Amino acid sequence: MKNIAILASGEGTNAERIIRYFEEKEGLKVAVVIASRASAGVINRVGRLHVPCRVIASAGFASGEALRVLREYATDFVVLAGFLLRIPGDILQAYPQRIVNIHPSLLPKFGGKGMYGMHVHEAVLEAGEEESGITIQYINERYDEGSYIFQAKCPVLPEDTPETLAERVHRLEYQYYPEVIERLVLCLK
């Protein structure tokens, strides 16, 4: 059995999709979700799905508590799903090339500190881009600079608002993120 941990800070729509996807898979499961805020919507979502959830704020990541929880759940692979904290060095070292993130743009465009959620879609529209999409990447110590694993594109329409573009990008996330995670986890030794 390969155990996946999901780290999330927000509503948890991607986390829910990933959990539901792996409910049907042999030998793979989401063992734990770590939320970075006690008010994160992901907590209620995963509770309904009967997946253990721990709340660990920034200080708990810095102190090593998050790494202890990952080890407690025998985590093989870590998935960031709307997670807004920087991953500390101890976790990066414990899970080299085993931590992935999804970003709502075609990196390297519109990445880096502060570029998340609607901020990204607003920047894409302000720049007059003709396409946007998603990037799934391994993470490193710098925001959005890890090696790319997968990208998928969608058009930016003349009538788009940040909300309509976000909806189109979310559809790509929901379609591809669980599939890419499965492929990566199945390749683990």
Side-chain angles (χ1 to χ4, degrees):
M1 176 66 72
K2 298 287 187 189
N3 290 327
I4 299 167
I6 298 176
L7 280 56
S9 297
E11 287 305 308
T13 56
N14 265 320
E16 180 176 352
R17 298 272 179 163
I18 294 164
I19 292 165
R20 289 187 185 284
Y21 182 86
F22 286 107
E23 286 176 340
E24 307 293 320
K25 303 296 176 176
E26 292 269 331
L28 303 168
K29 73 173 183 176
V30 175
V32 66
V33 172
I34 298 176
S36 65
R37 299 179 301 129
S39 61
V42 70
I43 297 166
N44 289 330
R45 281 183 191 275
V46 301
R48 290 191 300 269
L49 298 170
H50 310 291
V51 173
C53 186
R54 300 282 184 87
V55 177
I56 303 175
S58 180
F61 276 84
S63 72
E65 179 184 356
L67 180 57
R68 286 189 293 279
V69 169
L70 293 172
R71 288 182 173 151
E72 175 185 339
Y73 283 91
T75 301
D76 297 294
F77 199 80
V78 180
V79 173
L80 308 186
F83 189 70
L84 300 179
L85 298 180
R86 182 180 300 276
I87 300 298
D90 63 342
I91 295 176
L92 289 173
Q93 289 173 3
Y95 295 95
Q97 298 293 297
R98 289 180 180 228
I99 306 173
V100 294
N101 184 44
I102 190 164
H103 186 78
S105 77
L106 298 171
L107 292 173
K109 292 183 176 183
F110 311 106
K113 188 166 175 61
M115 292 304 288
Y116 61 91
M118 283 299 170
H119 300 294
V120 174
H121 306 304
E122 291 165 356
V124 168
L125 292 173
E126 286 174 21
E129 295 290 320
E130 294 182 7
E131 63 184 8
S132 190
I134 61 168
T135 303
I136 299 171
Q137 65 180 122
Y138 290 112
I139 68 157
N140 63 22
E141 62 280 348
R142 293 176 303 281
Y143 286 114
D144 300 325
E145 292 186 20
S147 58
Y148 306 155
I149 301 163
F150 177 86
Q151 289 187 314
K153 299 176 182 179
C154 65
V156 176
L157 305 175
E159 66 273 11
D160 266 333
T161 64
E163 293 77 17
T164 59
L165 180 56
E167 184 178 312
R168 199 171 310 108
V169 169
H170 281 305
R171 284 196 298 268
L172 293 174
E173 292 174 353
Y174 299 154
Q175 178 181 354
Y176 292 110
Y177 204 19
E179 293 173 0
V180 171
I181 293 164
E182 179 181 24
R183 188 179 79 231
L184 296 171
V185 174
L186 289 174
C187 290
L188 295 177
K189 294 179 180 180

